[in-house]
Amino acid sequence: MVALLISVIVSAAAVIACIVYHIGLGGEIFWGLAGFLLPQFLIGFIVRKKITAVQNELQEMLTNGQKQMTRKIQMFQTKPGGNIKQIQRQLESDQKAVVTQALAFTKRFEPFKKWTLMMGRQIATMRLQFHYQLQDFAAADKLLATAGLFTGPMMMEPMVIAMKIARQYKNGDVAGAEKTFKRRVKWFRGNRGTLLYGLMSWIYMQQGESEKARMLLVKAKDITSDETLAANWELLANNKDKQFSNAGLGEEWYGLYLEAPPLPKQQRMHGNAHGGRRF
């Protein structure tokens, strides 16, 4: 790491200068520490500023892409006679184009790896999410297996952990999914753990273990205060297993690609389509 090397060199130079000019032990300690910490602070400030600028550019790219897709959905909803499957294919194509562009954009973060200790893991985490969104699960699984990717609170965003659990489930490792859930969910307070509770309860339901799902939701509904989790708990408590649904969790849930989202609906046109009067 370049920043650390520079700090060590500056600190050593400061100590040597103190020895040459007979500053004394106290001065050597003070200037040695100052020579180490000051470059760290200055370099960290400059690098963080540059990283933030690149992150904002990436976020703007993603936001603009989402806005364009939202406009298409709105146009479709207000235009009668549209082909639902056609607009769905168009939206999927648009999303793939935006995410592919974002994945390529992550190369812009590579130069910061030599300046920031955690940048390598942050880049891997971003690429994991983009590969997952592209449904390139082979690449996502490879990144999920990367040693150290999930070490430390910085790397533990709920969606990233949910992706790992979902892939373990899809790869037939239900025990591993349950282990990951139990180990990671405790890091997320309040409603930050909503997606993880919803996902694990859904996995239990797929395994025919509705009682496990119900017991988990007893805890989850109080911790998260989420309406969807509370509704699912009530359904299971009343033996209405078939009505269990995570649809209320919205885009985050469907972003795991375990269930297909509902197709956009068109607004119904009332009266004569040409605006004429009926006689």
Side-chain angles (χ1 to χ4, degrees), residues 77-97:
Q77 289 174 329
T78 57
K79 182 180 178 181
N83 188 313
I84 293 179
K85 291 185 177 180
Q86 183 179 356
I87 188 62
Q88 184 182 36
R89 287 194 296 268
Q90 182 62 58
L91 291 172
E92 289 173 353
S93 177
D94 290 349
Q95 183 181 30
K96 183 177 180 179

Side-chain angles (χ1 to χ4, degrees), residues 201-218:
S201 61
W202 181 89
I203 290 175
Y204 285 145
M205 294 298 293
Q206 300 306 302
Q207 296 298 111
E209 298 180 304
S210 60
E211 181 60 19
K212 272 191 174 183
R214 188 187 68 81
M215 292 301 296
L216 179 63
L217 291 172
V218 168

Side-chain angles (χ1 to χ4, degrees), residues 19-198:
I19 294 173
V20 171
Y21 290 100
H22 306 290
I23 301 296
L25 181 60
E28 292 174 14
I29 295 173
F30 174 80
W31 288 109
L33 287 172
F36 182 82
L37 296 175
L38 187 58
Q40 286 278 328
F41 174 78
L42 292 175
I43 293 171
F45 175 78
I46 294 170
V47 171
R48 280 194 301 272
K49 189 174 181 180
K50 290 181 177 293
I51 291 174
T52 299
V54 178
Q55 287 174 332
N56 289 341
E57 191 175 342
L58 174 59
Q59 186 58 50
E60 184 178 4
M61 177 195 303
L62 295 171
T63 300
N64 288 339
Q66 185 60 49
K67 286 180 178 178
Q68 290 178 10
M69 287 187 284
T70 300
R71 282 196 293 269
K72 287 185 178 182
I73 292 174
Q74 291 172 343
M75 289 176 62
F76 170 77
Q77 289 174 329
T78 57
K79 182 180 178 181
N83 188 313
I84 293 179
K85 291 185 177 180
Q86 183 179 356
I87 188 62
Q88 184 182 36
R89 287 194 296 268
Q90 182 62 58
L91 291 172
E92 289 173 353
S93 177
D94 290 349
Q95 183 181 30
K96 183 177 180 179
V98 172
V99 176
T100 300
Q101 185 181 7
L103 181 60
F105 186 92
T106 59
K107 293 180 181 178
R108 293 272 301 275
F109 291 96
E110 290 286 348
F112 299 115
K113 288 170 68 174
K114 61 184 178 182
W115 298 99
T116 305
L117 183 62
M118 300 295 291
M119 182 51 63
R121 292 178 185 176
Q122 291 175 1
I123 293 171
T125 302
M126 284 188 286
R127 288 174 176 168
L128 163 64
Q129 294 180 77
F130 293 142
H131 280 301
Y132 199 106
Q133 288 176 37
L134 291 170
Q135 299 187 59
D136 183 358
F137 296 125
D141 288 345
K142 187 175 180 181
L143 283 167
L144 284 168
T146 302
L149 180 60
F150 292 92
T151 57
M154 287 180 63
M155 293 297 104
M156 296 199 309
E157 287 298 318
M159 189 62 180
V160 176
I161 301 302
M163 287 177 177
K164 180 175 183 178
I165 295 172
R167 289 308 301 155
Q168 287 176 309
Y169 166 74
K170 293 296 287 185
N171 288 327
D173 186 11
V174 177
E178 187 176 35
K179 183 178 179 181
T180 299
F181 168 78
K182 290 180 178 179
R183 188 169 66 247
R184 301 299 184 182
V185 73
K186 59 187 177 183
W187 286 90
F188 305 113
R189 305 297 180 186
N191 61 8
R192 292 196 71 224
T194 297
L195 180 62
L196 299 184
Y197 283 112

Side-chain angles (χ1 to χ4, degrees), residues 223-235:
I223 292 175
T224 66
S225 299
D226 182 79
E227 293 181 1
T228 298
L229 300 186
N232 279 337
W233 167 79
E234 187 172 354
L235 288 169

